[in-house]
Amino acid sequence: MDPPETLTSSTDDNNNNLRRRRGGGGGGVGGGGTELDSSSVEASSSSDDVTSDVRNDESKVDRKEENEEKKETTPLKYVYRASAPAHRRNKESPLSSAAIFNQSHAGLLNLCIVVLIAVNSRLIIENLMKYGLLIGSGFWRSSTSVRDWPLLMCCLSLPIFPLAAFLVEKLAQKNYMTEYVVVTLHIIITTASILYPVLVILRCDAAFLSGVTLMMFACIVWMKLVSYAHTNYDMRQLARSADEGENYAINYSYDVNIKSLAYFMVAPTLCYQLSYPRSASIRKGWLARQLIKLVIFTGLMGFIIEQYINPIVRSSQHPLKGDLLYGIERVLKLSVPNLYVWLCMFYCLFHIWLNILAEILRFGDREFYKDWWNAKTIDEYWRLWNMPVHKWMVRHIYFPCLRNGLPKGVAVLISFFISAVFHELCIAVPCRLFKFWAFLGIMFQIPLAILTNFLQNKFKSSNLGNMTFWCFFCIVGQPMCVLLYYHDVMNRNGSSS
């Protein structure tokens, strides 16, 4: 920065030049009468701007240097004397409502992290002192693995249904069957793809985890088949309208080939289309690191389940029976390890596994989730946390309901109903127990969404809505479902024995 003397001299030069232009000191203005040249006027205005800017800079520099000189030259005996005022203007407390959001709270966040680490360290030590190390080799190699063979064979035979759907679409493309027959055959194929695993699980005495895995695969196959049939149906309708002269400006390509279907069935998406955005190459080093993280977090989930969740659940009672305070204590005690397992499951499935699959297949669109942890309402959470299912619901359930004249509320109710049915299938079938707790839990999200929307609109506070979401969804809801299903299964096994 220039010193004040330089700024002052440059200011004086600019002022003198400006006075000469305005006073007619030059030959152009003084000898030309009363008319001013436009370039002279523009130069004058620009000089005014430069002058004002320079003066402002000069005053700032002068004030800064004056303050520095005062600090340097003020004798110590005049600094903070008893007669000097200690209060000079109105100020708010840092935690008051007017000033709390105008400053950083990084220190408090660090304190929360330190307290969280300390509390969880104490819980780990207490658990190890009480139960010892509970996890063993049985977690990695189940003793019921022989009885899981029928489920494995069922899982390996699921590709029969996409192949049947492809044959139906190929015949429909060549106009060998009517549209009514095509739709009927797709309904039969999709229904069989979900009933077949259900019957296998109910007939075989397999482990719960194996049953959940098979049901999740079956639900994914069902949703992919629905998208495949619905998308091809829509493309046929658009192709016919283009042949009849409607929408001629748009090119609707309709093609049925086994290669696009095979890629779709293994791709990390539930919405069928003929082509997808693709990445340039496969990053082998990155892929290896993700596989290592997948093993680590899977082991962490197993450790938390075996070391913390199982002892708490086994020592609990039915949450809807017995002492109310004891039930609340069990639910709250279970909520912390259950939340950790749920977060690890989300990270393993939606971040690590889907990205591994996308990397191997060079699948480009990897928005598998959004910032659901910042959700202010329940319905916002459901729109953010599982993007493949959300896109499928919007594409094949919600908007088709609206296009058929159904109200928006009815379309939302149908979407939640379908989600509730599949949540119930994924939990109740492996448990061989239909109490509809998972179904009711998902349907209960509708009044919760109304409540959180009301609180958000009334108080205009994102923090209140976010805390309400975390409380209902993770602190109360999931631990309650775990206890309900566990005790109902135990009661069923006890009565049968």
Side-chain angles (χ1 to χ4, degrees), residues 147-344:
R147 290 181 289 179
D148 294 340
W149 276 101
L151 275 65
L152 178 61
M153 295 296 103
C154 176
C155 185
L156 294 178
S157 61
L158 286 178
I160 297 175
F161 300 102
L163 182 60
F166 168 74
L167 295 177
V168 171
E169 284 300 326
K170 202 65 178 177
L171 294 175
Q173 184 186 24
K174 297 181 179 181
N175 296 321
Y176 288 163
M177 58 181 65
T178 63
E179 200 66 50
Y180 176 79
V181 176
V182 173
V183 173
T184 303
L185 289 176
H186 276 304
I187 292 175
I188 294 174
I189 292 171
T190 53
T191 304
S193 67
I194 199 71
L195 289 181
Y196 170 50
V198 170
L199 294 177
V200 171
I201 294 173
L202 293 179
R203 292 291 299 271
C204 301
D205 186 18
F208 171 76
L209 184 59
S210 301
V212 171
T213 304
L214 177 58
M215 282 307 306
M216 290 184 65
F217 273 114
C219 292
I220 291 173
V221 170
W222 184 88
M223 298 174 78
K224 284 177 177 282
L225 291 177
V226 169
S227 179
Y228 181 71
H230 193 188
T231 303
N232 281 309
Y233 171 81
D234 191 51
M235 287 193 296
R236 282 197 301 273
Q237 300 299 319
L238 294 174
R240 291 194 185 105
S241 64
D243 293 339
E244 295 172 358
E246 301 177 9
N247 301 325
Y248 57 88
I250 305 176
N251 181 23
Y252 296 110
S253 59
Y254 172 54
D255 185 27
V256 179
N257 61 81
I258 191 65
K259 185 178 179 180
S260 62
L261 175 60
Y263 183 85
F264 167 62
M265 293 306 297
V266 295
T269 180
L270 298 175
C271 296
Y272 174 73
Q273 58 193 61
L274 293 177
S275 62
Y276 296 92
R278 306 291 292 274
S279 56
S281 60
I282 298 176
R283 300 168 292 177
K284 297 179 181 178
W286 180 90
L287 194 61
R289 291 192 296 271
Q290 300 305 310
L291 289 172
I292 293 173
K293 288 198 294 186
L294 181 63
V295 174
I296 293 174
F297 278 93
T298 303
L300 179 60
M301 280 195 296
F303 173 77
I304 297 175
I305 291 173
E306 292 289 334
Q307 193 71 33
Y308 295 95
I309 293 182
N310 284 347
I312 295 174
V313 171
R314 288 169 184 158
S315 62
S316 65
Q317 62 182 10
H318 199 285
L320 301 181
K321 301 175 183 179
D323 188 7
L324 177 61
L325 291 179
Y326 180 80
I328 294 175
E329 188 270 338
R330 290 288 99 179
V331 170
L332 293 178
K333 188 173 184 178
L334 183 62
S335 63
V336 176
N338 183 82
L339 177 60
Y340 291 161
V341 170
W342 187 76
L343 292 176
C344 289

